[in-house]
Amino acid sequence: ANRKPGRGCQNRKRRNEEDNGEHQMRKFRYLIIALIILADQAAKLAVRCNMQVGESIPVIKNFFSITHISNSGGALSIFEGSTLLLIAVPVLAMAAAVWYMEKHQTAHWSLILAIELIVGGGIGNLIDRVWQGYVTDFLDFTSLPLWNWVFNIADIAVCVGCFLFVLYIFKFDGSEGTKTEGKNGSAE
């Protein structure tokens, strides 16, 4: 007898294909986080192994240097010396971010990428703080007017992630009341 698969089999096959696609996206999301952590830690290790704290190597005269700094505080050196606080708060924030990312897997790409960047950068700096008690900073644009901070790859990831998060909230979030108006004043 020549029988076609039943409707339930076709639905199960489609559901398995969708599950596999979601699994692949989940793996890709965590790969991005891992690459951010790897790039950040590799750069910091190179700086720590090849430069003394306070040493600076000009890369582009009067614009950019690699300067080895040990930052025991948070962003912009706030909460200096508050190591427990600077470990506990990021751990809780990153756990919440990963939970949110897992619960909203079909969210707009900008939200998912924002979370990946923030979590990857947060873990990169957390590794330093737990392992050494301070964060290694080295990207130095302090010769620019009004710029006084040395930072690292993890900091860049967190800042870009925060920018994307704000962009998502104001531009891509589909919640009621946040849609942009079209040319004729109607909601798009």
Side-chain angles (χ1 to χ4, degrees), residues 110-134:
S110 61
L111 176 61
I112 299 301
L113 183 57
I115 293 171
E116 292 165 349
L117 290 165
I118 292 167
V119 169
I123 292 173
N125 280 339
L126 190 61
I127 290 170
D128 277 15
R129 198 164 306 286
V130 169
W131 181 43
Q132 303 174 130
Y134 60 87

PDB file of all heavy atoms in Angstrom, residues 110-134:
ATOM      1  N   SER A 110      18.368  43.877  16.843  1.00  0.00           N
ATOM      2  CA  SER A 110      19.117  44.909  17.573  1.00  0.00           C
ATOM      3  C   SER A 110      19.080  44.662  19.078  1.00  0.00           C
ATOM      4  O   SER A 110      20.065  44.908  19.773  1.00  0.00           O
ATOM      5  CB  SER A 110      18.586  46.302  17.242  1.00  0.00           C
ATOM      6  OG  SER A 110      17.222  46.421  17.617  1.00  0.00           O
ATOM      7  N   LEU A 111      17.963  44.136  19.586  1.00  0.00           N
ATOM      8  CA  LEU A 111      17.874  43.828  21.010  1.00  0.00           C
ATOM      9  C   LEU A 111      18.763  42.640  21.358  1.00  0.00           C
ATOM     10  O   LEU A 111      19.511  42.684  22.340  1.00  0.00           O
ATOM     11  CB  LEU A 111      16.428  43.538  21.417  1.00  0.00           C
ATOM     12  CG  LEU A 111      16.239  43.118  22.870  1.00  0.00           C
ATOM     13  CD1 LEU A 111      16.696  44.226  23.820  1.00  0.00           C
ATOM     14  CD2 LEU A 111      14.798  42.734  23.134  1.00  0.00           C
ATOM     15  N   ILE A 112      18.721  41.602  20.543  1.00  0.00           N
ATOM     16  CA  ILE A 112      19.539  40.416  20.809  1.00  0.00           C
ATOM     17  C   ILE A 112      21.022  40.769  20.729  1.00  0.00           C
ATOM     18  O   ILE A 112      21.806  40.399  21.608  1.00  0.00           O
ATOM     19  CB  ILE A 112      19.184  39.271  19.831  1.00  0.00           C
ATOM     20  CG1 ILE A 112      17.717  38.855  19.996  1.00  0.00           C
ATOM     21  CG2 ILE A 112      20.124  38.091  20.002  1.00  0.00           C
ATOM     22  CD1 ILE A 112      17.347  38.376  21.389  1.00  0.00           C
ATOM     23  N   LEU A 113      21.432  41.513  19.696  1.00  0.00           N
ATOM     24  CA  LEU A 113      22.833  41.904  19.570  1.00  0.00           C
ATOM     25  C   LEU A 113      23.251  42.806  20.727  1.00  0.00           C
ATOM     26  O   LEU A 113      24.365  42.678  21.256  1.00  0.00           O
ATOM     27  CB  LEU A 113      23.091  42.591  18.230  1.00  0.00           C
ATOM     28  CG  LEU A 113      24.539  42.978  17.940  1.00  0.00           C
ATOM     29  CD1 LEU A 113      25.471  41.761  18.013  1.00  0.00           C
ATOM     30  CD2 LEU A 113      24.648  43.650  16.580  1.00  0.00           C
ATOM     31  N   ALA A 114      22.373  43.701  21.148  1.00  0.00           N
ATOM     32  CA  ALA A 114      22.674  44.569  22.290  1.00  0.00           C
ATOM     33  C   ALA A 114      22.965  43.731  23.526  1.00  0.00           C
ATOM     34  O   ALA A 114      23.962  43.960  24.227  1.00  0.00           O
ATOM     35  CB  ALA A 114      21.510  45.523  22.561  1.00  0.00           C
ATOM     36  N   ILE A 115      22.125  42.749  23.786  1.00  0.00           N
ATOM     37  CA  ILE A 115      22.329  41.897  24.956  1.00  0.00           C
ATOM     38  C   ILE A 115      23.622  41.096  24.824  1.00  0.00           C
ATOM     39  O   ILE A 115      24.387  40.988  25.785  1.00  0.00           O
ATOM     40  CB  ILE A 115      21.113  40.970  25.169  1.00  0.00           C
ATOM     41  CG1 ILE A 115      19.888  41.806  25.560  1.00  0.00           C
ATOM     42  CG2 ILE A 115      21.409  39.917  26.232  1.00  0.00           C
ATOM     43  CD1 ILE A 115      18.586  41.028  25.580  1.00  0.00           C
ATOM     44  N   GLU A 116      23.892  40.563  23.632  1.00  0.00           N
ATOM     45  CA  GLU A 116      25.131  39.799  23.419  1.00  0.00           C
ATOM     46  C   GLU A 116      26.362  40.663  23.700  1.00  0.00           C
ATOM     47  O   GLU A 116      27.300  40.211  24.369  1.00  0.00           O
ATOM     48  CB  GLU A 116      25.185  39.279  21.982  1.00  0.00           C
ATOM     49  CG  GLU A 116      24.160  38.233  21.672  1.00  0.00           C
ATOM     50  CD  GLU A 116      23.988  37.989  20.186  1.00  0.00           C
ATOM     51  OE1 GLU A 116      24.503  38.769  19.348  1.00  0.00           O
ATOM     52  OE2 GLU A 116      23.305  37.012  19.846  1.00  0.00           O
ATOM     53  N   LEU A 117      26.368  41.874  23.199  1.00  0.00           N
ATOM     54  CA  LEU A 117      27.505  42.775  23.409  1.00  0.00           C
ATOM     55  C   LEU A 117      27.671  43.135  24.877  1.00  0.00           C
ATOM     56  O   LEU A 117      28.787  43.122  25.408  1.00  0.00           O
ATOM     57  CB  LEU A 117      27.331  44.043  22.569  1.00  0.00           C
ATOM     58  CG  LEU A 117      27.482  43.877  21.057  1.00  0.00           C
ATOM     59  CD1 LEU A 117      26.946  45.091  20.324  1.00  0.00           C
ATOM     60  CD2 LEU A 117      28.932  43.605  20.684  1.00  0.00           C
ATOM     61  N   ILE A 118      26.570  43.456  25.531  1.00  0.00           N
ATOM     62  CA  ILE A 118      26.638  43.834  26.946  1.00  0.00           C
ATOM     63  C   ILE A 118      27.108  42.658  27.790  1.00  0.00           C
ATOM     64  O   ILE A 118      27.973  42.815  28.660  1.00  0.00           O
ATOM     65  CB  ILE A 118      25.274  44.377  27.427  1.00  0.00           C
ATOM     66  CG1 ILE A 118      24.979  45.727  26.747  1.00  0.00           C
ATOM     67  CG2 ILE A 118      25.239  44.511  28.938  1.00  0.00           C
ATOM     68  CD1 ILE A 118      23.543  46.208  26.903  1.00  0.00           C
ATOM     69  N   VAL A 119      26.569  41.469  27.537  1.00  0.00           N
ATOM     70  CA  VAL A 119      26.964  40.290  28.310  1.00  0.00           C
ATOM     71  C   VAL A 119      28.415  39.913  28.021  1.00  0.00           C
ATOM     72  O   VAL A 119      29.193  39.658  28.947  1.00  0.00           O
ATOM     73  CB  VAL A 119      26.009  39.103  28.038  1.00  0.00           C
ATOM     74  CG1 VAL A 119      26.550  37.807  28.617  1.00  0.00           C
ATOM     75  CG2 VAL A 119      24.627  39.398  28.609  1.00  0.00           C
ATOM     76  N   GLY A 120      28.823  39.907  26.755  1.00  0.00           N
ATOM     77  CA  GLY A 120      30.211  39.577  26.412  1.00  0.00           C
ATOM     78  C   GLY A 120      31.199  40.540  27.038  1.00  0.00           C
ATOM     79  O   GLY A 120      32.203  40.137  27.630  1.00  0.00           O
ATOM     80  N   GLY A 121      30.917  41.831  26.930  1.00  0.00           N
ATOM     81  CA  GLY A 121      31.791  42.831  27.549  1.00  0.00           C
ATOM     82  C   GLY A 121      31.773  42.749  29.062  1.00  0.00           C
ATOM     83  O   GLY A 121      32.813  42.860  29.721  1.00  0.00           O
ATOM     84  N   GLY A 122      30.591  42.538  29.619  1.00  0.00           N
ATOM     85  CA  GLY A 122      30.485  42.422  31.076  1.00  0.00           C
ATOM     86  C   GLY A 122      31.281  41.243  31.609  1.00  0.00           C
ATOM     87  O   GLY A 122      31.981  41.363  32.619  1.00  0.00           O
ATOM     88  N   ILE A 123      31.191  40.112  30.929  1.00  0.00           N
ATOM     89  CA  ILE A 123      31.954  38.935  31.361  1.00  0.00           C
ATOM     90  C   ILE A 123      33.446  39.178  31.188  1.00  0.00           C
ATOM     91  O   ILE A 123      34.251  38.787  32.043  1.00  0.00           O
ATOM     92  CB  ILE A 123      31.495  37.669  30.617  1.00  0.00           C
ATOM     93  CG1 ILE A 123      30.073  37.299  31.047  1.00  0.00           C
ATOM     94  CG2 ILE A 123      32.455  36.500  30.872  1.00  0.00           C
ATOM     95  CD1 ILE A 123      29.447  36.166  30.249  1.00  0.00           C
ATOM     96  N   GLY A 124      33.846  39.842  30.093  1.00  0.00           N
ATOM     97  CA  GLY A 124      35.260  40.148  29.877  1.00  0.00           C
ATOM     98  C   GLY A 124      35.856  40.939  31.027  1.00  0.00           C
ATOM     99  O   GLY A 124      36.938  40.618  31.531  1.00  0.00           O
ATOM    100  N   ASN A 125      35.155  41.961  31.478  1.00  0.00           N
ATOM    101  CA  ASN A 125      35.650  42.756  32.605  1.00  0.00           C
ATOM    102  C   ASN A 125      35.501  42.008  33.927  1.00  0.00           C
ATOM    103  O   ASN A 125      36.337  42.153  34.820  1.00  0.00           O
ATOM    104  CB  ASN A 125      34.942  44.109  32.669  1.00  0.00           C
ATOM    105  CG  ASN A 125      35.523  45.104  31.688  1.00  0.00           C
ATOM    106  OD1 ASN A 125      36.657  44.968  31.232  1.00  0.00           O
ATOM    107  ND2 ASN A 125      34.746  46.107  31.351  1.00  0.00           N
ATOM    108  N   LEU A 126      34.460  41.204  34.043  1.00  0.00           N
ATOM    109  CA  LEU A 126      34.261  40.426  35.270  1.00  0.00           C
ATOM    110  C   LEU A 126      35.389  39.414  35.476  1.00  0.00           C
ATOM    111  O   LEU A 126      35.847  39.213  36.602  1.00  0.00           O
ATOM    112  CB  LEU A 126      32.907  39.720  35.221  1.00  0.00           C
ATOM    113  CG  LEU A 126      32.440  39.061  36.497  1.00  0.00           C
ATOM    114  CD1 LEU A 126      32.291  40.093  37.615  1.00  0.00           C
ATOM    115  CD2 LEU A 126      31.126  38.345  36.263  1.00  0.00           C
ATOM    116  N   ILE A 127      35.844  38.800  34.397  1.00  0.00           N
ATOM    117  CA  ILE A 127      36.966  37.860  34.489  1.00  0.00           C
ATOM    118  C   ILE A 127      38.172  38.553  35.105  1.00  0.00           C
ATOM    119  O   ILE A 127      38.819  38.032  36.015  1.00  0.00           O
ATOM    120  CB  ILE A 127      37.314  37.266  33.104  1.00  0.00           C
ATOM    121  CG1 ILE A 127      36.205  36.306  32.655  1.00  0.00           C
ATOM    122  CG2 ILE A 127      38.675  36.563  33.129  1.00  0.00           C
ATOM    123  CD1 ILE A 127      36.326  35.859  31.209  1.00  0.00           C
ATOM    124  N   ASP A 128      38.489  39.744  34.619  1.00  0.00           N
ATOM    125  CA  ASP A 128      39.609  40.516  35.173  1.00  0.00           C
ATOM    126  C   ASP A 128      39.405  40.796  36.655  1.00  0.00           C
ATOM    127  O   ASP A 128      40.302  40.601  37.473  1.00  0.00           O
ATOM    128  CB  ASP A 128      39.728  41.876  34.467  1.00  0.00           C
ATOM    129  CG  ASP A 128      40.488  41.816  33.165  1.00  0.00           C
ATOM    130  OD1 ASP A 128      40.681  40.706  32.644  1.00  0.00           O
ATOM    131  OD2 ASP A 128      40.873  42.887  32.675  1.00  0.00           O
ATOM    132  N   ARG A 129      38.221  41.272  36.977  1.00  0.00           N
ATOM    133  CA  ARG A 129      37.957  41.695  38.347  1.00  0.00           C
ATOM    134  C   ARG A 129      38.043  40.520  39.322  1.00  0.00           C
ATOM    135  O   ARG A 129      38.595  40.648  40.409  1.00  0.00           O
ATOM    136  CB  ARG A 129      36.585  42.353  38.427  1.00  0.00           C
ATOM    137  CG  ARG A 129      36.420  43.177  39.655  1.00  0.00           C
ATOM    138  CD  ARG A 129      35.259  44.115  39.573  1.00  0.00           C
ATOM    139  NE  ARG A 129      35.207  45.018  38.437  1.00  0.00           N
ATOM    140  CZ  ARG A 129      35.971  46.092  38.276  1.00  0.00           C
ATOM    141  NH1 ARG A 129      36.886  46.379  39.166  1.00  0.00           N
ATOM    142  NH2 ARG A 129      35.836  46.861  37.228  1.00  0.00           N
ATOM    143  N   VAL A 130      37.504  39.357  38.923  1.00  0.00           N
ATOM    144  CA  VAL A 130      37.551  38.175  39.788  1.00  0.00           C
ATOM    145  C   VAL A 130      38.972  37.618  39.858  1.00  0.00           C
ATOM    146  O   VAL A 130      39.461  37.276  40.929  1.00  0.00           O
ATOM    147  CB  VAL A 130      36.563  37.093  39.288  1.00  0.00           C
ATOM    148  CG1 VAL A 130      36.788  35.767  39.991  1.00  0.00           C
ATOM    149  CG2 VAL A 130      35.124  37.561  39.472  1.00  0.00           C
ATOM    150  N   TRP A 131      39.647  37.552  38.728  1.00  0.00           N
ATOM    151  CA  TRP A 131      40.969  36.926  38.647  1.00  0.00           C
ATOM    152  C   TRP A 131      42.065  37.810  39.242  1.00  0.00           C
ATOM    153  O   TRP A 131      42.974  37.338  39.897  1.00  0.00           O
ATOM    154  CB  TRP A 131      41.262  36.605  37.182  1.00  0.00           C
ATOM    155  CG  TRP A 131      42.560  35.929  36.914  1.00  0.00           C
ATOM    156  CD1 TRP A 131      43.130  34.900  37.605  1.00  0.00           C
ATOM    157  CD2 TRP A 131      43.462  36.227  35.851  1.00  0.00           C
ATOM    158  NE1 TRP A 131      44.326  34.535  37.033  1.00  0.00           N
ATOM    159  CE2 TRP A 131      44.555  35.344  35.959  1.00  0.00           C
ATOM    160  CE3 TRP A 131      43.443  37.156  34.815  1.00  0.00           C
ATOM    161  CZ2 TRP A 131      45.625  35.363  35.064  1.00  0.00           C
ATOM    162  CZ3 TRP A 131      44.497  37.153  33.922  1.00  0.00           C
ATOM    163  CH2 TRP A 131      45.574  36.267  34.065  1.00  0.00           C
ATOM    164  N   GLN A 132      41.987  39.138  39.012  1.00  0.00           N
ATOM    165  CA  GLN A 132      43.077  40.032  39.415  1.00  0.00           C
ATOM    166  C   GLN A 132      42.684  41.068  40.463  1.00  0.00           C
ATOM    167  O   GLN A 132      43.554  41.687  41.060  1.00  0.00           O
ATOM    168  CB  GLN A 132      43.588  40.808  38.179  1.00  0.00           C
ATOM    169  CG  GLN A 132      44.035  39.924  37.070  1.00  0.00           C
ATOM    170  CD  GLN A 132      44.388  40.733  35.845  1.00  0.00           C
ATOM    171  OE1 GLN A 132      45.446  40.535  35.312  1.00  0.00           O
ATOM    172  NE2 GLN A 132      43.559  41.641  35.408  1.00  0.00           N
ATOM    173  N   GLY A 133      41.399  41.325  40.610  1.00  0.00           N
ATOM    174  CA  GLY A 133      40.951  42.363  41.522  1.00  0.00           C
ATOM    175  C   GLY A 133      40.882  43.733  40.859  1.00  0.00           C
ATOM    176  O   GLY A 133      40.535  44.721  41.500  1.00  0.00           O
ATOM    177  N   TYR A 134      41.171  43.807  39.583  1.00  0.00           N
ATOM    178  CA  TYR A 134      41.098  45.054  38.812  1.00  0.00           C
ATOM    179  C   TYR A 134      40.898  44.711  37.340  1.00  0.00           C
ATOM    180  O   TYR A 134      41.072  43.559  36.932  1.00  0.00           O
ATOM    181  CB  TYR A 134      42.368  45.902  38.990  1.00  0.00           C
ATOM    182  CG  TYR A 134      43.628  45.203  38.536  1.00  0.00           C
ATOM    183  CD1 TYR A 134      44.051  45.267  37.211  1.00  0.00           C
ATOM    184  CD2 TYR A 134      44.404  44.471  39.430  1.00  0.00           C
ATOM    185  CE1 TYR A 134      45.200  44.616  36.796  1.00  0.00           C
ATOM    186  CE2 TYR A 134      45.557  43.828  39.019  1.00  0.00           C
ATOM    187  CZ  TYR A 134      45.950  43.904  37.702  1.00  0.00           C
ATOM    188  OH  TYR A 134      47.079  43.256  37.289  1.00  0.00           O
TER     189      TYR A 134
END
